[in-house]
Amino acid sequence: GNVTFSCSEPQIVPITFVSTSRSYLLLPGTPQIDGLSVSFQFRTWNKDGLLLFTELSENSGPLLVYLHSGRLILLIQKETENPVEISEGTNLHDGLWHSVNINARRHRITLTLDNNAATASHATTVSRIYSGNSYYFGGCPDNFTDSQCLNPITAFQGCMRLIFIDNQPKDLILVQQGSLGNFSDLHIDLCGIKDRCLPNYCEHGGKCSQSWTTFYCDCNDTGYTGATCHNSIYEHSCEAYRHQGKTSGFFYIDSDGSGPLGPLRVFCNITEDKIWTAVQHNSTGLTRVQGADREKPYTMSFSYNSSAEQLEAVISSAENCEQEAAYHCKKSRLLNTPNGMPFAWWVGRANEKHLYWGGSLPGIQQCACGLEESCLDMRYFCNCDADREEWTNDTGLLTFKDHLPVTQIVITDTNRSNSEAAWKIGPLRCYGDRQFWNAASFNTEASYLHFPTFHAEFSADISFFFKTTAVSGVFLENLGIKDFIRIEISSPKEITFSIDVGNGPTEATVQSPSPLNDNQWHYIRAERNLKETSLQVDSLPKKVLEAPTEGHFRLQLNSQLFVGGTASRQKGFLGCIRSLHLNGQKLDLEERAKMTPGVKPGCPGHCSSYGNLCHNGGKCVEKYTGYFCDCTNSAYEGPFCKEEVSALFEAGTSVTYIFQEPYPVTKNASTSSSAIYADAVMSKENIAFSFLTAHTPSLLLYINTYFHEYLAVILSKNGSLQVRYKLSKDGLLIFTIDSGNFANRELHHVKINREGRELIIQVDQVLKLKHNFSEIDFKAIKSLTLGKVTDSLSLDPEVSKANAYGFTGCLSSVQYNHIAPLKAALRHPSIAPVTVKGSLTESSCASIMDADVNTATTIYSSSDPFGKTDEREPLTNAVRSDSAVIGG
């Protein structure tokens, strides 16, 4: 007869363990055989889960195979001996198929992962290992009694296939038909595991990982944060950093926020009203050129350590930008004007060649002197084009934003006899954030602005400032066929963010403890991504709603975006909206408001919200776009009047502020209309200053009047602080603060406040003394002196002793009512009524606390972080050394 043999691979039938609490597969084994052989393949996204459990025959104990933190663990727990444990692999929850082989013969057990025999792990036991009667894969039933299977390990969630027990394949179709083993909550003949990282919804290079139900994003080192690495951790501009109270320094700015452009490192110069953003390139020094002609031109390309798109975003969002262009020449022509081919040019954005120089205008082949008609030779439009054998230069600012930044310079006329040139292109500098104060005022509930549809299928972020007195209103709304997105103030204390992506409306609501319709600026940030919906209002706790793991997830909008109103006939918004950003893109509210009835560009009243940022007597002043702090009447300076003005005094140094002499001296104070005269006769003193010294006795401050009265603040020989009032009626009053030695080379803060008869003295923010005068008439102030009083004829003996050397040390932030004498001496010596004698050196008291206060140290500083210097003539040496003494 005929004999037919057939060989085939085992049928690959995958199964899916769906539930972490109820899924399991029970398969029978062959008991009481000396040895054990089980193999299977698994695939999962979960770090932990029970893969296999069996109770070994002959009381050999339970055997468990499970995942723990992505590692495969085999454990035999025997009552009569130490447990046997083997571990293999890492990161086995990567969603790929992994094979597991377990083989035991007598006293030896082997665990092989992914059929790699070279890395198989072995262990031995004292007693023999027998196979089990029943094998539980993925979990155990609820009524199972063995606690070792149920308690310590979570059930498995994932897929298995190719299960072999005692070298026999198990037909899982028979399991499905109910003729083999048992199961619960399984999907048979299907691997229902979903790869939630394909496509990768983690933005900006975030690393995606996942579990069975969701995905996670690792945003480390991306510069972004949030559930999907959507939000930039950096501000949009230097203006935004200033608004946070930051001072000058290097910062990362992200011009498009959550958009695709990465952050850019810039220098923010926040020392003046205009907030400058500077982007350095690879060659801002003065560079000499020789030996270049048209056949062999000299070229230099500039790198700004950024992409062209990043620089373009910085420039387009700024009000003005500039780059200094300097060309120093000796018999080296520049533009060859008024006619002829130029000998030098520069390349800007879009790789365009430009034939104008700094200080001139695009399209005009001239230098600054040509426009100003001030060139050395009036026949030419550039100084260098006169072609003289002496050094001259053409220097000016390139300010046309659409051509910046400078990416290359080309020079071709330095190859003749005695021909030489030197050039310098400064850093790109921009000021003004066109969007931070970009605002619109909505004057009627029916008024609104409309913009193109907001496209944000997978992730959307919306941020803006608002202020209103209305009790409710819709900030913005965008509709689709079914989907929509809306942000509104639903009550005076409630902001609501509503969104529907097809699964039904979701509402995130933030409750405020105080009314939000107080006509102050408030900040809103709403975000939606595949993981969550969130709403942030000011610094209140963020409201976060988890997104469903299944269902619709694309936000599909098709109508126009309404700002300040609504398409669905709900109540519009009354008030102001400012700095509106959608997915990092800035909407120009002002430009759109100019052509829309019922809406006005801009919004006044910034000081009502931000006036508290002006410190130490600084006054908030409104601007059309924003505000600034006027530090005129403050002893401090800087954008927020928080930077100290301090100086080192040597022995004999004197700063005297002369008050305007009253006319006549005895004239009644009530008839005066002069502000300075009024201050000279006011019935109060608000005095504040800080000092640091190691010398006693010392005279810190001395005020005298035309009536031979005075107020003196001195340090006694023992280091105690004395405030001495000499009054015509009360005579001499001495107030001593002896709570320690104040000449201890540490910075001390003194406040002396007198209002009428009441006197309060504070030292280092602690109330030290209160006093009520019987009667006081301290008026017609003549002068205020810091340090040594040069006119010492009328000083009493104790003050005269302290005045022997005056004051040696550091004085800082000296204030008398609205007068700042030290600041006047350092900043306005030519126009203020102040006289300085001796050596007065500006310095920071805090920086010299540990230094020798006997030494007046000059600190060299520059507002330009890139070392801008006055270069009237090229450097004769390429190497330049700058040195300074810091701290002593």
Side-chain angles (χ1 to χ4, degrees):
N2 293 325
V3 179
T4 303
F5 295 92
S6 66
C7 299
S8 63
E9 290 291 324
Q11 185 181 5
I12 299 177
V13 179
I15 59 174
T16 307
F17 295 82
V18 179
S19 170
T20 56
S21 59
R22 297 186 305 275
S23 295
Y24 70 90
L25 169 66
L26 169 61
L27 294 174
T30 307
Q32 299 180 1
I33 294 178
D34 183 10
L36 171 73
S37 176
V38 178
S39 66
F40 58 90
Q41 291 184 358
F42 74 90
R43 179 184 179 204
T44 185
W45 294 113
N46 290 357
K47 293 181 179 180
D48 304 291
L50 176 66
L51 297 171
L52 171 65
F53 173 84
T54 183
E55 185 71 41
L56 300 177
S57 304
E58 304 295 325
N59 296 319
S60 297
L63 179 145
L64 296 95
V65 180
Y66 58 93
L67 286 174
H68 178 64
S69 297
R71 289 180 63 80
L72 183 68
I73 310 293
L74 183 149
L75 178 66
I76 301 177
Q77 192 80 36
K78 298 200 173 190
E79 296 181 1
T80 58
E81 58 185 272
N82 293 329
V84 174
E85 182 175 322
I86 303 174
S87 65
E88 271 291 319
T90 58
N91 194 32
L92 299 178
H93 58 295
D94 55 6
L96 304 177
W97 285 106
H98 296 282
S99 63
V100 179
N101 289 276
I102 304 159
N103 283 287
R105 288 291 179 269
R106 293 184 173 85
H107 302 279
R108 180 181 174 88
I109 188 166
T110 302
L111 175 65
T112 306
L113 178 65
D114 293 335
N115 297 318
N116 189 350
T119 63
S121 299
H122 310 275
T124 57
T125 61
V126 175
S127 55
R128 284 189 173 191
I129 300 170
Y130 297 88
S131 65
N133 289 309
S134 302
Y135 292 85
Y136 290 90
F137 291 88
C140 299
D142 292 338
N143 58 1
F144 197 67
T145 56
D146 196 313
S147 62
Q148 288 177 316
C149 178
L150 293 175
N151 290 342
I153 306 151
T154 60
F156 175 70
Q157 205 170 26
C159 299
M160 285 190 188
R161 68 184 185 187
L162 294 176
I163 299 176
F164 286 71
I165 298 178
D166 299 327
N167 296 317
Q168 298 298 315
K170 296 300 178 180
D171 190 342
L172 299 180
I173 298 298
L174 296 178
V175 175
Q176 186 181 31
Q177 295 170 352
S179 58
L180 177 65
N182 198 359
F183 69 92
S184 173
D185 239 15
L186 291 185
H187 293 162
I188 298 179
D189 207 9
L190 169 71
C191 182
I193 188 170
K194 185 181 290 186
D195 191 340
R196 300 181 186 275
C197 287
L198 192 66
N200 182 3
Y201 293 109
C202 300
E203 302 176 49
H204 301 108
K207 296 177 182 177
C208 182
S209 61
Q210 75 169 76
S211 66
W212 179 266
T213 56
T214 187
F215 67 94
Y216 307 96
C217 296
D218 181 1
C219 306
N220 289 333
D221 302 322
T222 65
Y224 295 82
T225 185
T228 58
C229 311
H230 180 74
N231 308 320
S232 178
I233 63 176
Y234 305 110
E235 295 295 335
H236 287 84
S237 65
C238 290
E239 179 74 35
Y241 281 114
R242 172 194 183 272
H243 185 69
Q244 293 181 347
K246 305 290 187 185
T247 54
S248 296
F250 286 96
F251 296 92
Y252 281 96
I253 62 171
D254 198 332
S255 298
D256 69 340
S258 58
L261 298 180
L264 172 65
R265 189 170 187 258
V266 301
F267 184 86
C268 295
N269 191 347
I270 312 179
T271 58
E272 50 186 300
D273 184 28
K274 290 180 181 177
I275 312 304
W276 286 95
T277 301
V279 186
Q280 174 70 296
H281 59 73
N282 57 330
S283 182
T284 51
L286 195 66
T287 305
R288 297 180 69 162
V289 179
Q290 285 181 297
D293 55 29
R294 293 189 187 276
E295 283 69 36
K296 292 189 298 180
Y298 168 89
T299 62
M300 167 61 79
S301 297
F302 302 108
S303 169
Y304 294 82
N305 291 321
S306 59
S307 67
E309 292 78 12
Q310 285 175 310
L311 292 175
E312 187 173 340
V314 170
I315 293 170
S316 63
S317 62
E319 291 179 13
N320 294 93
C321 293
E322 64 183 37
Q323 269 186 284
E324 183 188 47
Y327 190 80
H328 298 262
C329 52
K330 186 171 73 171
K331 203 172 181 183
S332 171
R333 291 160 291 179
L334 179 58
L335 299 182
N336 198 22
T337 56
N339 44 48
M341 289 292 293
F343 287 100
W345 61 87
W346 58 277
V347 178
R349 195 194 305 181
N351 206 30
E352 294 177 338
K353 178 178 175 181
H354 299 292
L355 307 181
Y356 68 97
W357 199 244
S360 184
L361 300 174
I364 303 175
Q365 191 173 319
Q366 294 187 15
C367 297
C369 70
L371 280 184
E372 298 166 0
E373 298 183 356
S374 60
C375 296
L376 291 176
D377 189 329
M378 295 301 292
R379 294 175 297 171
Y380 302 98
F381 295 157
C382 293
N383 289 321
C384 291
D385 291 346
D387 206 22
R388 296 187 178 182
E389 289 198 28
E390 59 187 37
W391 280 105
T392 185
N393 76 87
D394 286 293
T395 301
L397 295 175
L398 302 168
T399 58
F400 191 63
K401 284 171 53 176
D402 289 352
H403 290 171
L404 297 177
V406 179
T407 59
Q408 191 181 65
I409 186 172
V410 181
I411 297 172
T412 66
D413 188 26
T414 59
N415 200 25
R416 296 176 292 153
S417 175
N418 293 326
S419 179
E420 190 175 356
W423 61 268
K424 176 181 177 181
I425 301 294
L428 174 67
R429 300 173 74 237
C430 300
Y431 74 82
D433 184 340
R434 297 177 56 222
Q435 295 301 322
F436 192 77
W437 299 105
N438 190 301
S441 305
F442 298 86
N443 302 321
T444 67
E445 290 183 358
S447 59
Y448 59 86
L449 301 176
H450 56 81
F451 293 89
T453 307
F454 180 34
H455 293 290
E457 290 188 334
F458 304 117
S459 59
D461 73 90
I462 303 167
S463 64
F464 58 91
F465 292 88
F466 79 93
K467 68 175 182 175
T468 184
T469 55
V471 295
S472 65
V474 176
F475 296 117
L476 61 85
E477 181 184 74
N478 205 160
L479 304 179
I481 297 174
K482 291 183 178 179
D483 300 358
F484 71 87
I485 190 168
R486 182 187 305 119
I487 305 175
E488 61 186 312
I489 177 170
S490 45
S491 74
K493 295 184 178 182
E494 197 171 75
I495 304 293
T496 302
F497 174 38
S498 307
I499 188 168
D500 188 348
V501 296
N503 303 317
T506 298
E507 286 191 354
T509 300
V510 170
Q511 299 275 354
S512 171
S514 57
L516 297 168
N517 60 342
D518 55 358
N519 209 27
Q520 305 284 310
W521 283 117
H522 298 282
Y523 179 70
I524 290 178
R525 180 182 174 86
E527 184 183 354
R528 178 262 166 183
N529 54 54
L530 300 185
K531 296 274 291 177
E532 63 189 26
T533 298
S534 65
L535 177 64
Q536 177 88 54
V537 179
D538 293 336
S539 57
L540 297 171
K542 182 190 290 187
K543 179 70 173 180
V544 180
L545 302 176
E546 294 293 328
T549 55
E550 305 297 336
H552 299 281
F553 58 89
R554 290 177 182 265
L555 175 64
Q556 297 179 333
L557 307 173
N558 56 16
S559 72
Q560 288 182 318
L561 169 69
F562 285 75
V563 176
T566 167
S568 54
R569 304 301 179 197
Q570 297 188 42
K571 192 175 181 182
F573 174 70
L574 279 173
C576 291
I577 295 177
R578 172 170 71 83
S579 188
L580 176 60
H581 291 76
L582 278 70
N583 271 1
Q585 297 301 310
K586 307 155 187 175
L587 298 192
D588 195 338
L589 300 174
E590 290 193 3
E591 196 62 34
R592 191 59 62 94
K594 291 175 183 177
M595 58 188 77
T596 306
V599 187
K600 291 184 178 179
C603 188
H606 300 302
C607 280
S608 61
S609 296
Y610 304 127
N612 60 339
L613 294 177
C614 300
H615 298 271
N616 302 304
K619 182 182 178 184
C620 183
V621 178
E622 287 283 346
K623 296 196 301 181
Y624 176 70
T625 54
Y627 67 97
F628 72 95
C629 297
D630 181 1
C631 307
T632 303
N633 294 333
S634 170
Y636 293 75
E637 60 186 5
F640 301 105
C641 308
K642 291 175 71 174
E643 296 175 14
E644 294 183 344
V645 178
S646 52
L648 286 172
F649 284 65
E650 293 185 357
T653 301
S654 169
V655 174
T656 303
Y657 189 97
I658 308 295
F659 290 83
Q660 180 177 325
E661 182 175 350
Y663 180 79
V665 172
T666 57
K667 189 167 183 174
N668 191 307
S670 63
T671 62
S672 170
S673 60
S674 166
I676 297 180
Y677 177 82
D679 193 57
V681 297
M682 280 185 69
S683 61
K684 69 176 183 180
E685 287 91 52
N686 287 321
I687 300 170
F689 62 91
S690 302
F691 72 91
L692 178 150
T693 187
H695 291 266
T696 59
S698 291
L699 176 59
L700 288 92
L701 179 143
Y702 184 81
I703 301 173
N704 66 335
T705 74
Y706 286 99
F707 296 103
H708 306 293
E709 300 168 331
Y710 70 81
L711 164 62
V713 182
I714 67 172
L715 287 181
S716 303
K717 186 68 177 173
N718 62 1
S720 63
L721 185 75
Q722 278 192 6
V723 179
R724 303 167 71 91
Y725 268 95
K726 169 78 182 311
L727 304 171
S728 58
K729 295 183 179 178
D730 282 19
L732 181 61
L733 295 172
I734 302 172
F735 307 102
T736 303
I737 313 296
D738 54 4
S739 55
N741 178 15
F742 292 100
N744 58 355
R745 283 199 175 97
E746 292 184 4
L747 196 60
H748 298 283
H749 310 277
V750 178
K751 284 187 177 180
I752 303 169
N753 295 318
R754 180 184 67 83
E755 190 80 39
R757 297 183 181 182
E758 184 180 40
L759 175 71
I760 296 175
I761 299 176
Q762 285 181 289
V763 180
D764 296 331
Q765 285 82 45
V766 178
L767 178 64
K768 294 295 185 180
L769 189 142
K770 269 189 175 184
H771 177 76
N772 284 310
F773 294 102
S774 59
E775 188 176 351
I776 188 159
D777 192 19
F778 194 66
K779 63 180 184 180
I781 294 172
K782 182 179 180 181
S783 64
L784 181 152
T785 301
L786 305 174
K788 187 175 179 64
V789 179
T790 53
D791 181 15
S792 56
L793 297 176
S794 59
L795 299 182
D796 69 28
E798 196 66 26
V799 177
S800 188
K801 279 185 198 175
N803 190 50
Y805 293 100
F807 175 74
T808 303
C810 189
L811 275 178
S812 171
S813 307
V814 183
Q815 182 97 34
Y816 171 79
N817 292 347
H818 70 266
I819 303 295
L822 185 59
K823 181 179 173 183
L826 293 171
R827 297 287 177 266
H828 313 291
S830 59
I831 60 173
V834 63
T835 304
V836 178
K837 295 182 179 178
S839 174
L840 182 72
T841 309
E842 183 172 358
S843 182
S844 168
C845 293
S847 69
I848 61 165
M849 282 181 65
D850 299 324
D852 183 359
V853 295
N854 291 301
T855 306
T857 305
T858 301
I859 305 296
Y860 294 95
S861 64
S862 172
S863 61
D864 184 347
F866 303 124
K868 181 179 175 182
T869 55
D870 180 15
E871 284 139 346
R872 295 173 184 152
E873 192 172 305
L875 301 171
T876 54
N877 194 327
V879 179
R880 190 178 74 192
S881 174
D882 292 334
S883 62
V885 179
I886 299 176

